[in-house]
Amino acid sequence: MAAAQGQRSDGAGEMESSEGKVADSAPLPFRTAVDALREERLRPEIEIDPTRPPQRLAPYAYALEAAVVDGEEDLADGRLVLLHDPSGHDAWQGTFRLVTLVRAELEPEMAADPLLPEVCWSWLTGALSARGLAAGEASGTVTRAGSHYFGGLSERPPASQIEIRASWTPREGSGGVPDTGAHLAAWCDLLCQVAGLPPAGHGDGSVVSLPQRRGPLSP
């Protein structure tokens, strides 16, 4: 995977791509928030790496991509982007914003559930609230799509996918820095739930996950 970069939209503050370090010229709150992402301990099923962030959404950005892995099979994957604008952003109601994409393949009976989009959105908000995190100005979409194969691909069974796109403003704490490590952990809880894994503690029977899917995501 590509080394992480965090850079201003004008090209300033570029990171050292070979080492994945935030430039010293980046604001201290942003550097502190990125350090917290790097230091968070996650479930062993999660494989995570920095990746190239978007360059025009905010003056500073840092991105991670992750997959829930069972052996050599990817059960779900996603991307989490931390945005920072020291001047603040009216739409965010803050100086930081988290943006995410989560994807997984579904069993046909789950894909047919009319309440699936609402349930998936509740998993996101529930994952945050379970860790005592606020999600200001939250917005997003839940999309399910079906694929049918023809011609040379006709032997493949039909496939269904779920995709969650969302963004929210994390509450800023001491020094104007949000608890990005906890937000990353909550996001990974969502990723594991979509992948069909039980909660890490295996003790909450009220939490329902998607059944584990049949194969890796299509490229």
Side-chain angles (χ1 to χ4, degrees):
M1 296 180 182
Q5 294 185 352
Q7 53 192 10
R8 301 181 62 91
S9 56
D10 60 5
E14 187 172 352
M15 298 173 60
E16 299 176 24
S17 59
S18 61
E19 298 181 12
K21 296 181 179 179
V22 176
D24 291 339
S25 59
L28 179 59
F30 178 69
R31 287 184 280 132
T32 302
V34 170
D35 286 343
L37 290 175
R38 292 170 170 166
E39 294 167 1
E40 184 68 21
R41 296 176 63 86
L42 304 173
R43 290 180 60 163
E45 299 92 343
I46 297 285
E47 292 187 356
I48 192 164
D49 284 292
T51 188
R52 183 180 294 274
Q55 300 181 25
R56 296 180 176 86
L57 296 181
Y60 299 91
Y62 183 81
L64 295 167
E65 57 185 9
V68 181
V69 178
D70 179 15
E72 296 185 356
E73 182 182 357
D74 288 358
L75 300 177
D77 62 31
R79 178 180 170 98
L80 184 68
V81 180
L82 175 68
L83 304 176
H84 179 54
D85 186 341
S87 300
H89 196 294
D90 290 341
W92 301 353
Q93 295 296 303
T95 62
F96 284 90
R97 188 77 170 170
L98 285 162
V99 182
T100 185
L101 164 68
V102 171
R103 302 178 300 175
E105 189 169 325
L106 301 176
E107 295 291 345
E109 60 272 16
M110 288 296 296
D113 186 342
L115 296 179
L116 182 65
E118 289 81 3
V119 170
C120 288
W121 182 256
S122 73
W123 288 345
L124 169 61
T125 57
L128 293 167
S129 62
R131 292 182 178 268
L133 300 170
E137 306 301 318
S139 62
T141 62
V142 178
T143 304
R144 54 183 163 188
S147 299
H148 295 263
Y149 300 95
F150 301 93
L153 301 176
S154 60
E155 293 184 359
R156 288 191 184 184
S160 299
Q161 298 83 30
I162 193 74
E163 179 180 279
I164 304 170
R165 293 180 180 267
S167 64
W168 65 93
T169 299
R171 179 191 296 122
E172 296 173 14
S174 177
V177 181
D179 188 352
T180 50
H183 280 270
L184 172 60
W187 179 73
C188 288
D189 291 342
L190 168 67
L191 198 63
C192 288
Q193 195 165 14
V194 171
L197 299 187
H202 297 254
D204 187 355
S206 66
V207 177
V208 179
S209 302
L210 291 178
Q212 288 194 11
R213 56 190 181 78
R214 295 162 298 177
L217 287 169
S218 300

